Amino acid sequence: MRTTTTYDELVAVPTEVIAGLLHEHGERQLAEMRRQEERPSFRDLFLWRGVDDALAAAAAGERPADPGAGAPRWLAGLVATRLDEAGRFSHRGGDFTTVRILERRGLVSPPHDDTYALALIGGLGGDPPTVPLRADPELLTTTIWRIFEVEGGGEVSLAAIDKYTPEEVSWAATVRVLTDAGDLDRSRVLDSCLAALDRDFGAFRAGWFSRFWVSLEPSEDEVAARQGALRSLLRSDVKPTVALAVKQLRSLVGTGRLDGPATARAMAPAALSPVKGTALDALRLLADLHADGAAGTDDVVGTATTALGHPHADVQRAAAQLLTRVGDTDAVAGAADVLAPSVAVEFGVAGTIEPDLRVPADLEPTTPVVATGNDLTELLAALLEGSDDVIGLEMVLAGLSATPDTRLLAPLRARATTLVARARRDGEAPATLRAAVARLVLVGLGEDAAALPLTYSGYLTNATLPVAHLVGRMEEVADVVRGRRPPAPLLAAPEHPSGWIHAATLIDRLTRTPDPAPLDLVAALLRLHPEGRTTVGADALPAPVRYALGGPAEPDLDRDDRAAWVAAGRTRTVTEVDAVLLRLGLDGAGRAHPLDVQVRTASETERYEDRRGVHTWTSWAWDLRLADALYQVVADQPTGLCQLGRSDDGWRMPDEHTAAAASDEARTPVADTWSANFGRSDLGAYVGWAATIWPADAEHFLVSTAGSVLNAAISTEVERDAIPVLDALGAHPGRLGRLAAVTLAAGLAAGRPDQRVHAVDAVHRLVRADRLTADVLADGVTTFGGAGLLSRSAPSWKDLASISSQASAFVVDTLTATLPHTDRATNGVHAVLAVLEDELLRAGRPTPPTLQPWLRGFAGSSKAARTAARLAAR
């Protein structure tokens, strides 16, 4: 019986009749809900059906048994709920029209607040919507003006509704029809539109009002009358709004109706708009005002001088030209340090760039600290709240290992219990670092807390190997706290933020530790600093330790200590094949063989056609090649790596008690294998800790983590680990191989600006430490190839070059090596050439001869071709 009922159909029906029918049909629907055994949460849905039925019945002539009853007690609350839903979820189903019938008949009195206005937008209904609006005079005189005052959000806003609505029934078309017909005052519509743009609406929702203003095609008189409001919009944070204001004000130039001085003074924010076209339009407007005599020199100079600080050279050039034209060359000279070199040279001013101070490759060692007492408890509390303090965590482990005291853990029991329970409920794998720390607290307090998940599948992979190793180290410390192992110094406690341990320190710790924990010994050997190694005082230490310290290999090797031997061999021969490990049969990547990682990228272009024409879309993928890859990985050998996906082919992660005894057959290296998305990681706070496992080699760390950075450059997915990985890479003291270079190249071309900023910082830090050369990074850029969009990397090169003269020279050398391998037709090549030109001009260097053939290969008159010609002529 439910149909759309109009107000006019109920004019002759007494209000008490409608009220009585609301009672009856509401009760019928509640009875139906009980019959269907629906949940109580469906009550409002059934009651609203009763409202629709009651109104339709009243229009059809039905009369209630008790017409004297007032409005049902549930009606006001139901109407409030329906208004709230109509203002949040769009269905254009006419709920608002139904509410208006009830309101106009005096049955409800909802407040006319923002929710009411949004319900009008989202729930008016009507085909077209002009019909219910014209049928309700109050809506046209009062309520409809509120749609210019509320922003909305989610599904309900003017912009969101119209995006998925046919044009003929859209809100824009509706308001335009009502305006053209005289139902709405045109002058008020125009004023309301500009007022909406001057509110702090988001760009998407503000865009509706910009487009609607343009669709009204305001006349010269209408624009002139509102120039004050348009000038106010120049301060907007919404870029299209600023562009609209500049364009509308420019339309008045030459008419004699524009307030020139006020407009010139108000134009400064627009002249700094990040949209180059808007900033240039603002400067053209200033130039026109000055040329026409509508604005004086003083009015123009301030805004033009401000524009010299714009990041784009074309805007700086236009501002400098305007200042020169009005005779204020001093302003241009005063801004020499912020001008792009090409602009500075063109206008005869010279900027300066500060030299960079070189820093040593290694950070200064920190004093070995063992957390004790309240300090240990406070560090643990911070870790439970999400801190990623690597040194703090090592201090906690060192303190618990040397002096276990459960009283220090007791205050954290409740919080740790909550975090472990949440981790089990969420089922995230690997569980977060804070959850692992929470479990350490509970186990230390004697609770039987089962291990948290490392992987979803139960198989250990390269990405989860660092977590397994680090969690295993925490398990060993937990054994000390609960009395299963005697207290002892933590062998792997780092003396440097990067993880290094000096040989003398390791010898001293081992001398005081007759029975070292297996993973702690492996971790300590991998952190052994390459300098100062000696076997003096190490005669009684295990054979793998003496070998790591530089001693000769024993004739008879103990194969049972294979994990310690692998760590000793890798720390002794980082980039070479280790003959001792070969004798033990421990070959493979990250064991006897050093890590040899190669990267390749590939693209796929797809075509699709729609009403706008034929379009192409290019997607990129990457994969890694790991020579001598293992079949599987084990937690006690964190340097040994396998090819991705092998664990998914049936190799189950070894049990923690049998991992060290896994068969040699299972560990036999396989042929060189290409593995797509090899280094994918979602390690979170583990990233910084993983980077300290093997300070001598950044490649090992990146095989497990680089995927987040590479994906950030080729996809739109959220990559939470990208920034932590870049930060850790910038601080890593170890070997920077091909994968490190590709990771930095991908970071410079990452999709998000904040990721690119951290990549720039990482490169700069490595360059300052004399650890990264232009040739190495150029190889990474060339290897990553077209997957690194030039339109993204160009701003990164510009930011890097602006840091110091050393960084500027590094950028020039890197681009000189990479550009000859770049397709001249690549989108964004002009932006990179502009950076190169600026830095050559800044340093007073000629164009490198090796770049000349590639530059002369440009043809045509594009910006890239013109810049290449200038560079070739230098």
Side-chain angles (χ1 to χ4, degrees):
M1 189 174 182
R2 284 178 292 277
T3 59
T4 301
T5 305
T6 66
Y7 180 83
D8 290 342
E9 292 175 310
L10 298 170
V11 169
V13 180
T15 300
E16 57 269 21
V17 169
I18 298 175
L21 290 173
L22 287 170
H23 278 282
E24 292 182 3
H25 285 276
E27 290 301 323
R28 289 178 192 173
Q29 286 296 325
L30 291 177
E32 178 64 17
M33 184 186 77
R34 291 189 290 270
R35 187 188 69 79
Q36 296 181 16
E37 298 182 353
E38 291 287 1
R39 295 188 301 274
S41 59
F42 283 82
R43 181 175 183 272
D44 284 350
L45 175 63
F46 279 86
L47 283 176
W48 193 251
R49 290 176 181 172
V51 170
D52 285 337
D53 288 349
L55 295 180
E62 183 179 324
R63 293 297 180 264
D66 184 10
R73 286 180 296 178
W74 45 259
L75 186 60
L78 177 63
V79 164
T81 299
R82 299 302 289 189
L83 286 173
D84 178 69
E85 291 179 354
R88 292 187 295 119
F89 308 107
S90 172
H91 52 79
R92 300 294 295 263
D95 280 3
F96 186 81
T97 303
T98 301
V99 169
R100 285 292 299 161
I101 292 175
L102 298 173
E103 184 180 4
R104 295 172 72 183
R105 296 306 299 261
L107 294 166
V108 292
S109 299
H112 287 204
D113 53 12
D114 287 357
T115 298
Y116 191 85
L118 289 172
L120 167 63
I121 295 172
L124 176 63
D127 188 10
T130 52
V131 173
L133 286 170
R134 283 171 167 156
D136 192 340
E138 184 181 355
L139 291 183
L140 284 181
T141 57
T142 58
T143 309
I144 196 170
W145 298 107
R146 292 278 288 130
I147 71 174
F148 293 92
E149 301 171 2
V150 294
E151 179 179 14
E155 294 183 16
V156 177
S157 67
L158 294 172
I161 294 290
D162 280 8
K163 182 176 180 179
Y164 301 104
T165 302
E167 168 63 23
E168 61 273 11
V169 293
S170 67
W171 268 107
T174 298
V175 178
R176 193 163 51 247
V177 167
L178 293 172
T179 302
D180 292 344
D183 296 286
L184 297 177
D185 180 68
R186 178 178 173 86
S187 181
R188 186 176 179 183
V189 169
L190 291 169
D191 291 338
S192 298
C193 199
L194 293 183
L197 288 171
D198 210 12
R199 295 183 172 91
D200 58 349
F201 292 170
F204 171 68
R205 289 175 282 277
W208 186 92
F209 298 97
S210 291
R211 294 187 297 273
F212 185 64
W213 168 275
V214 172
S215 74
L216 291 175
E217 299 179 352
S219 66
E220 179 184 306
D221 290 342
E222 291 171 330
V223 173
R226 293 165 177 82
Q227 58 181 285
L230 288 167
R231 281 193 290 269
S232 179
L233 298 183
L234 296 172
R235 302 189 303 268
S236 175
D237 292 330
V238 180
K239 294 186 283 291
T241 299
V242 178
L244 172 71
V246 172
K247 184 176 181 180
Q248 293 296 307
L249 291 170
R250 280 196 73 193
S251 70
L252 296 177
V253 172
T255 66
R257 309 184 66 177
L258 181 62
D259 185 339
T263 302
R265 291 190 297 270
M267 200 56 62
L272 288 177
S273 170
V275 180
K276 182 183 75 170
T278 301
L280 290 174
D281 281 345
L283 291 171
R284 294 184 187 108
L285 174 56
L286 287 179
D288 292 342
L289 289 174
H290 187 267
D292 290 348
T297 299
D298 292 341
D299 300 322
V300 169
V301 165
T303 297
T305 303
T306 299
L308 291 174
H310 196 282
H312 202 286
D314 288 348
V315 178
Q316 295 178 1
R317 184 173 290 106
Q321 289 170 346
L322 177 57
L323 288 167
T324 302
R325 192 178 308 136
V326 301
D328 194 348
T329 55
D330 290 344
V332 180
D337 287 345
V338 300
L339 293 178
S342 59
V343 178
V345 169
E346 181 178 342
F347 288 88
V349 296
T352 60
I353 186 168
E354 294 298 322
D356 209 351
L357 299 178
R358 296 179 182 270
V359 297
D362 274 350
L363 297 172
E364 288 298 319
T366 60
T367 303
V369 177
V370 176
T372 58
N374 290 334
D375 290 342
L376 187 147
T377 304
E378 291 179 4
L379 281 172
L380 268 176
L383 291 164
L384 291 178
E385 297 310 314
S387 170
D388 57 357
D389 182 0
V390 175
I391 297 301
L393 179 53
E394 291 285 357
M395 290 168 57
V396 166
L397 296 180
L400 293 175
S401 179
T403 312
D405 187 349
T406 57
R407 291 174 300 177
L408 301 177
L409 306 181
L412 306 173
R413 184 192 297 271
R415 182 58 174 159
T417 300
T418 299
L419 291 174
V420 170
R422 181 184 301 166
R424 299 196 192 287
R425 182 176 65 250
D426 294 345
E428 184 178 354
T432 62
L433 177 59
R434 64 193 300 209
V437 173
R439 180 177 177 273
L440 169 64
V441 171
L442 296 182
V443 171
L445 290 170
E447 296 191 18
D448 185 19
L452 296 171
L454 285 173
T455 67
Y456 292 110
S457 64
Y459 302 115
L460 198 60
T461 65
N462 291 332
T464 52
L465 174 60
V467 180
H469 174 70
L470 299 171
V471 169
R473 287 187 57 210
M474 282 195 277
E475 189 71 23
E476 290 180 341
V477 172
D479 284 344
V480 175
V481 178
R482 55 190 171 185
R484 296 182 180 179
R485 296 187 64 88
L490 188 71
L491 303 180
E495 296 181 279
H496 292 250
S498 53
W500 291 124
I501 301 171
H502 290 289
T505 302
L506 179 59
I507 293 172
D508 175 67
R509 290 173 181 174
L510 277 168
T511 302
R512 294 183 284 128
T513 310
D515 183 24
L519 291 180
D520 190 24
L521 176 59
V522 168
L525 289 172
L526 289 174
R527 288 176 170 176
L528 189 60
H529 199 283
E531 297 179 2
R533 295 188 185 185
T534 176
T535 57
V536 175
D539 293 342
L541 300 183
V545 177
R546 296 196 301 273
Y547 180 66
L549 291 169
E554 308 289 335
D556 298 323
L557 303 178
D558 186 356
R559 291 170 54 87
D560 292 336
D561 290 336
R562 55 165 55 89
W565 277 112
V566 169
R570 280 300 92 220
T571 197
R572 178 164 172 163
T573 56
V574 177
T575 60
E576 305 294 333
V577 176
D578 191 279
V580 173
L581 296 183
L582 286 178
R583 286 171 52 193
L584 285 168
L586 297 174
D587 52 345
R591 297 200 300 178
H593 295 85
L595 294 182
D596 181 9
V597 187
Q598 297 184 36
V599 188
R600 71 176 182 182
T601 60
S603 64
E604 181 180 1
T605 301
E606 301 176 3
R607 298 174 73 256
Y608 68 94
E609 186 174 353
D610 59 17
R611 56 189 175 87
R612 294 175 297 172
V614 178
H615 309 271
T616 59
W617 171 262
T618 300
S619 59
W620 285 87
W622 59 267
D623 53 18
L624 307 182
R625 183 190 187 191
L626 181 62
D628 302 303
L630 302 178
Y631 273 115
Q632 69 181 78
V633 294
V634 286
D636 65 351
Q637 297 177 26
T639 58
L641 299 173
C642 67
Q643 78 276 21
L644 183 73
R646 195 64 188 181
S647 58
D648 295 330
D649 294 334
W651 291 98
R652 187 162 185 80
M653 181 175 64
D655 181 85
E656 60 180 327
H657 301 295
T658 61
S663 69
D664 288 344
E665 179 183 358
R667 296 179 173 194
T668 302
V670 298
D672 295 350
T673 304
W674 286 102
S675 303
N677 291 2
F678 197 115
R680 173 72 186 184
S681 77
D682 290 296
L683 302 186
Y686 285 107
V687 168
W689 202 15
T692 66
I693 290 178
W694 191 12
D697 193 1
E699 297 291 279
H700 164 266
F701 160 67
L702 292 172
V703 167
S704 298
T705 60
S708 57
V709 182
L710 272 60
N711 286 335
I714 66 171
S715 75
T716 57
E717 297 295 323
V718 176
E719 297 294 338
R720 291 184 291 271
D721 285 357
I723 288 176
V725 169
L726 288 166
D727 290 344
L729 178 55
H732 204 287
R735 171 178 71 115
L736 299 176
R738 183 180 294 109
L739 182 54
V742 171
T743 303
L744 291 170
L748 294 173
R752 285 173 35 184
D754 59 335
Q755 295 166 339
R756 298 196 292 271
V757 167
H758 284 262
V760 168
D761 288 344
V763 172
H764 177 234
R765 185 170 184 174
L766 294 170
V767 170
R768 288 186 67 201
D770 282 330
R771 300 201 54 248
L772 179 66
T773 66
D775 288 340
V776 170
L777 183 56
D779 180 66
V781 174
T782 302
T783 300
F784 200 55
L789 298 180
L790 298 185
S791 56
R792 292 178 182 170
S793 62
S796 299
W797 295 121
K798 182 177 180 179
D799 291 343
L800 178 59
S802 69
I803 296 175
S804 67
S805 56
Q806 180 191 9
S808 174
F810 178 85
V811 169
V812 169
D813 293 342
T814 305
L815 293 181
T816 298
T818 59
L819 284 174
H821 303 279
T822 304
D823 186 342
R824 297 179 184 86
T826 303
N827 184 36
V829 72
H830 168 259
V832 176
L833 286 174
V835 173
L836 178 62
E837 182 183 29
D838 280 349
E839 298 316 310
L840 289 173
L841 288 168
R842 192 192 305 274
R845 292 174 54 179
T847 300
T850 56
L851 200 53
Q852 291 284 359
W854 183 79
L855 292 170
R856 293 194 181 100
F858 278 86
S861 58
S862 66
K863 284 187 175 181
R866 296 198 301 271
T867 305
R870 290 197 301 271
L871 284 167
R874 295 188 74 252

